[in-house]
Amino acid sequence: MAATSMSTVQLGSALTVPLFGQLGALGTAGLRLGWAGLILLVAIRPRPRDFSPRDLLACTVLGLVTAGMMVFFMLAIARLPLGTASALEFLGPLTVSLFGPRKGRLLWAAAAATGVVLLTEPWHGGADLVGVGSALLAAGCWAAYILLTQRVGDRVTGLKGLAVSMPVAALLGLTLAAPDLTERLTWSPLWTMLVLAVLSPVIPFALEFLALRRLTASAFGTLMSLEPAIALLVGLLVLGQRPGAAATLGLVLVVVASVGAARAGARPAASAKEALASSACA
């Protein structure tokens, strides 16, 4: 589920890049969030009585973090190669992984961090500072997203938590994007963004909710080290962004770290059983 989520996120991001010239980075982010929030709200129809006040607050904060993660990442890939932006954004999940309970987790985090450095190649200099800053802000949002998604996923049955957090993200995203969309939006990109919203974030975020019921937050964070490698491949195949030798070595390192995290990252058996039971009741 985590691997499928990462693949659809990066494919959706790559397919969104050509629309930047028409809608702008904020416009594409806001429109994707708007469609995703509407789809999940209509499909799942969460009811207020299904949530405690604390759960509703957690879902609201998760929605704000989700909006920040997508908006800042769209701003980053408007200025940086997809693989570089994803590598910088991965610093968020990498930070989460450092707090894992097992000593071996530090080894996987170190391998992933080395891979991120090789993917980013900071020694070349000349990186777009606004793009780098946006990617780092997305990284902070992603770290918070992992922790909040696991909390909401454990406390709220099915995907009802996502059906509350995503409309909140949609409201914030559309508010930020309103100036761009007012001037640039036409019918063609409106329907194109509906399809892209299903591809990302609806499908991947739903899969992440389910995956985080079966993995520890730290293991999930390290497993996300695969995402910069996927972004590098998608950037090559879809956008023609060719990686060098250092980036290729970085790809190998993050794949090794991901395999290590997957082997050591299952949640305790009791938690897994409870998660399966809650999914069955949803």
Side-chain angles (χ1 to χ4, degrees), residues 5-13 32 199-200 204-205 208 227:
S5 168
M6 290 182 283
S7 299
T8 55
V9 163
Q10 295 306 323
L11 180 59
S13 296
R32 282 172 67 184
L199 184 63
S200 173
F205 284 11
E208 287 175 5
E227 187 146 354

Side-chain angles (χ1 to χ4, degrees), residues 10-33:
Q10 295 306 323
L11 180 59
S13 296
L15 294 176
T16 298
V17 169
L19 294 172
F20 285 169
Q22 186 170 0
L23 296 175
L26 283 177
T28 55
L31 204 53
R32 282 172 67 184
L33 287 168

Side-chain angles (χ1 to χ4, degrees), residues 129-181:
L129 294 181
V130 175
V132 170
S134 298
L136 292 176
L137 288 171
C141 291
W142 196 4
Y145 167 84
I146 291 172
L147 298 174
L148 286 166
T149 295
Q150 186 169 74
R151 173 182 171 80
V152 171
D154 282 348
R155 293 179 60 88
V156 181
T157 59
L159 297 176
K160 294 176 183 177
L162 185 61
V164 172
S165 67
M166 191 56 68
V168 172
L171 288 175
L172 178 56
L174 288 171
T175 300
L176 294 174
D180 283 349
L181 293 178

Side-chain angles (χ1 to χ4, degrees), residues 2 6 9 19 32 40 47 51 61 69 80 110 112 128 137 144 147 166 181 184 191 197 203 206 274 276 278 282:
M6 290 182 283
V9 163
L19 294 172
R32 282 172 67 184
L40 288 167
R47 296 168 296 185
F51 302 85
V61 176
M69 181 174 64
L80 300 173
D128 187 296
L137 288 171
L147 298 174
M166 191 56 68
L181 293 178
R184 304 182 181 186
W191 300 120
I203 292 175
E274 290 171 4
L276 290 171
S278 65

Side-chain angles (χ1 to χ4, degrees), residues 1-94:
M1 288 187 288
T4 302
S5 168
M6 290 182 283
S7 299
T8 55
V9 163
Q10 295 306 323
L11 180 59
S13 296
L15 294 176
T16 298
V17 169
L19 294 172
F20 285 169
Q22 186 170 0
L23 296 175
L26 283 177
T28 55
L31 204 53
R32 282 172 67 184
L33 287 168
W35 276 123
L38 180 61
I39 290 168
L40 288 167
L41 189 63
V42 172
I44 299 175
R45 290 175 292 179
R47 296 168 296 185
R49 65 174 179 269
D50 295 330
F51 302 85
S52 69
R54 293 182 64 181
D55 292 340
L56 279 175
L57 177 61
C59 290
T60 300
V61 176
L62 176 59
L64 299 177
V65 167
T66 300
M69 181 174 64
M70 180 165 289
V71 167
F72 287 128
F73 187 67
M74 288 294 103
L75 292 173
I77 63 174
R79 294 172 174 269
L80 300 173
L82 183 60
T84 300
S86 294
L88 290 171
E89 189 191 28
F90 170 68
L91 294 176
L94 179 59

